[in-house]
C-alpha cells in the first residue's frame, strides 16, 4: 500500500527558558507528519530532534522530509537510515498509528483519535515533575505536589556547585518525606563533583537516582563509581539512540536507562530490544508535542519499570 506524505514545521515557546548543562533553550521546534492511506485514513507522527543529545538537527530532518517522495510505502519508512533517529521514530509512529487499528474503529486510526481528543495521560503511569534550575525549585515543587506528582527532577551542573549544594540541602528539607528526587547533571560534572553529589545524595535519603553525572565518553568511570554509593546512577546522554543503548548494555551496564524514545530511533526495534533484555527503563520527554508524547507513552505503558515515574511532567514549561 502507498501513503500520501505531508509535513509541516511547528514551534512551541517555553514559558521560561530551560537551562541545562547544554545551554539555554527557548523554543521547541519540530515537524508534524501526516500519512494518508488509499482509503483516506490518517496517521500522525512527529519529528522532534535534539541534536545536542546526538540526533539529527532540525535542518537535516527538514531536508530529509523535502527529499522524501510524496507517495511512500512501509518499505520506505522502515528503510530510513539510523543517522536519522528522530525521523525513524516520527515516520514509524505515524505508520503504526495508521495501520494498528484499521477497520476496528470505523476506519479512524489510533493517532488520529488521540490527536483530536483531550489526550488524557495513561492512567497506569506516574509522572516526574521537572523543576526549574537553581533556587526557583525551592517553591515550584509545590505546584507538582498539588497536582499529584510525587517524583521530582532537578537539573544540576548549571551554576556553581557551592550554590547548588546549598539549594539542594534546602530542597531536601522542604520536600515531604514521601517524595522522590532525581538529580540530572546532563553529563556536566567532573568525577570529583560526581562523587560529592553521590555522597550528599546517600545522606539525603530521598534521591531516586543521579542521572548522567559524567559525559558519555567517560563510561568506564561511570561504571567504576556505580557501586561505591547507595544512590543509583542512570544513563541518559550515553543511551540517546538505540545503537548507543545496545552498546552500553553490551559493555555491561545493568543500571537504569533513561530513554528518550522520540530521538532513539525505530520504536519497533526499541520495543524488541527492551522486551528481549530485562532493562530498568525510564521513558523521558524531549519536550515533544502531544503527537509524539502519546506515541512514547504507549511504549512506556508496555516497557517502563512499573515502580518508576516517567519523565513527562513537563507540560507546565510551555505557554
Amino acid at each position: 500500500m502507498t501513503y500520501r506524505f505531508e509535513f509541516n514545521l511547528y514551534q512551541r515557546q517555553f514559558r521560561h527558558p530551560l537551562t541545562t548543562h547544554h545551554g539555554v533553550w527557548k523554543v521547541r521546534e519540530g515537524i508534524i507528519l501526516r500519512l494518508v492511506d488509499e482509503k483516506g485514513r490518517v496517521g500522525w507522527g512527529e519529528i522532534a530532534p535534539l541534536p545536542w543529545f546526538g540526533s539529527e538537527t532540525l535542518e537535516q530532518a527538514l531536508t530529509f522530509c523535502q527529499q522524501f517522495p510524496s507517495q511512500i510505502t512501509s518499505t520506505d519508512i522502515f528503510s530510513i537510515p539510523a543517522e536519522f533517529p528522530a525521523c525513524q521514530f516520527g515516520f514509524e509512529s505515524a505508520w503504526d498509528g495508521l495501520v494498528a487499528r484499521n477497520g476496528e474503529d470505523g476506519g479512524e486510526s489510533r493517532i488520529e483519535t488521540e490527536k483530536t481528543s483531550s489526550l488524557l495521560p495513561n492512567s497506569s503511569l506516574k509522572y516526574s515533575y521537572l523543576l526549574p534550575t537553581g533556587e526557583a525549585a525551592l517553591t515550584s515543587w509545590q505546584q507538582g505536589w498539588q497536582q499529584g506528582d510525587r517524583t521530582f527532577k532537578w537539573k544540576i551542573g548549571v551554576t556553581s556547585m557551592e550554590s547548588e549544594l546549598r539549594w539542594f540541602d534546602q530542597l531536601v528539607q522542604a520536600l515531604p518525606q514521601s517524595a522522590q528526587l532525581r538529580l540530572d547533571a546532563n553529563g556536566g560534572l567532573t568525577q570529583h563533583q560526581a562523587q560529592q553529589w553521590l555522597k550528599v545524595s546517600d545522606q539525603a535519603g530521598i534521591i531516586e537516582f543521579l542521572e548522567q553525572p559524567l559525559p558519555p565518553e567517560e563510561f568506564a568511570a561511570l561504571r567504576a563509581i556505580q557501586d561505591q554509593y547507595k544512590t543509583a546512577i542512570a544513563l541518559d546522554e550515553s543511551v540517546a539512540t538505540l545503537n548507543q543503548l545496545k552498546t552500553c548494555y553490551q559493555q555491561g551496564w545493568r543500571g537504569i536507562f533513561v530513554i528518550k524514545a522520540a530521538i532513539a530511533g525505530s520504536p519497533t526495534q526499541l520495543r524488541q530490544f527492551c522486551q528481549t533484555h530485562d532493562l530498568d527503563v525510564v521513558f523521558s520527554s524531549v519536550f515533544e508535542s502531544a503527537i509524539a508524547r502519546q506515541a512514547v507513552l504507549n511504549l512506556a505503558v508496555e516497557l517502563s519499570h512499573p515502580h518508576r515515574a516517567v519523565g513527562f511532567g513537563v507540560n507546565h514549561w510551555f505557554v
Side-chain angles (χ1 to χ4, degrees):
M1 181 181 288
T2 60
Y3 306 93
R4 189 172 79 250
F5 157 56
E6 302 165 354
F7 65 95
N8 284 289
L9 286 165
Y10 75 84
Q11 290 188 336
R12 299 180 76 196
Q13 188 85 31
F14 284 100
R15 189 181 301 272
H16 305 288
L18 175 65
T19 303
T20 74
H21 176 69
H22 297 293
V24 179
W25 197 6
K26 297 181 179 179
V27 180
R28 163 34 108 193
E29 297 179 290
I31 302 170
I32 299 298
L33 308 177
R34 187 171 183 262
L35 295 183
V36 185
D37 72 7
E38 295 165 352
K39 296 182 179 180
R41 296 175 293 208
V42 178
W44 297 90
E46 178 181 352
I47 301 171
L50 206 61
W52 50 91
F53 263 74
S55 83
E56 67 271 49
T57 65
L58 179 66
E59 291 74 19
Q60 289 169 330
L62 182 60
T63 299
F64 181 87
C65 290
Q66 290 168 339
Q67 294 175 347
F68 227 33
S70 59
Q71 297 287 332
I72 61 176
T73 66
S74 59
T75 301
D76 295 322
I77 291 170
F78 284 90
S79 299
I80 296 173
E83 58 261 36
F84 297 97
C87 290
Q88 283 184 326
F89 179 85
F91 277 94
E92 209 172 303
S93 297
W95 180 85
D96 179 63
L98 182 57
V99 305
R101 283 168 50 189
N102 272 355
E104 294 181 18
D105 53 5
E108 191 174 35
S109 77
R110 179 175 66 204
I111 298 286
E112 173 74 4
T113 303
E114 288 160 349
K115 181 175 182 290
T116 55
S117 75
S118 58
L119 281 162
L120 294 174
N122 294 276
S123 58
S124 63
L125 297 175
K126 298 176 182 178
Y127 293 78
S128 171
Y129 186 89
L130 179 60
L131 300 169
T133 54
E135 193 173 12
L138 299 181
T139 54
S140 61
W141 67 268
Q142 296 173 9
Q143 179 183 347
W145 184 267
Q146 289 167 2
Q147 68 186 31
D149 296 322
R150 297 296 179 261
T151 301
F152 300 88
K153 181 173 176 176
W154 190 48
K155 290 186 178 290
I156 60 173
V158 177
T159 184
S160 76
M161 187 164 181
E162 181 183 7
S163 296
E164 289 185 339
L165 285 172
R166 185 174 67 252
W167 295 325
F168 170 75
D169 185 58
Q170 295 173 17
L171 181 59
V172 168
Q173 296 299 320
L175 285 171
Q177 286 188 341
S178 57
Q180 282 192 312
L181 181 62
R182 297 171 176 175
L183 301 175
D184 183 8
N186 288 117
L189 304 180
T190 66
Q191 292 186 36
H192 177 67
Q193 289 171 333
Q195 290 176 322
Q196 283 185 278
W197 275 108
L198 287 165
K199 184 177 180 180
V200 297
S201 295
D202 282 0
Q203 296 168 348
I206 67 167
I207 308 305
E208 184 182 6
F209 54 74
L210 173 59
E211 189 172 328
Q212 197 71 46
L214 303 178
E217 56 268 23
E218 296 187 34
F219 179 78
L222 271 175
R223 285 203 62 191
I225 64 173
Q226 183 184 15
D227 298 324
Q228 296 177 22
Y229 299 89
K230 292 185 298 182
T231 300
I233 294 175
L235 298 185
D236 185 7
E237 278 89 342
S238 292
V239 293
T241 66
L242 179 58
N243 286 339
Q244 290 173 316
L245 173 66
K246 290 178 177 179
T247 297
C248 287
Y249 184 85
Q250 290 163 359
Q251 290 178 347
W253 187 265
R254 296 298 181 269
I256 302 164
F257 297 84
V258 176
I259 296 179
K260 290 176 164 53
I263 61 166
S266 164
T268 301
Q269 294 179 41
L270 177 63
R271 180 187 289 109
Q272 290 172 344
F273 186 79
C274 290
Q275 289 175 338
T276 303
H277 303 86
D278 186 20
L279 304 185
D280 188 346
V281 170
V282 175
F283 280 87
S284 185
S285 171
V286 294
F287 298 91
E288 57 280 279
S289 80
I291 293 174
R293 175 186 175 95
Q294 191 62 44
V296 176
L297 292 180
N298 290 339
L299 283 171
V301 169
E302 290 182 64
L303 304 171
S304 273
H305 189 291
H307 302 301
R308 298 197 191 278
V310 293
F312 275 84
V314 298
N315 284 346
H316 57 287
W317 278 86
F318 287 104
V319 173

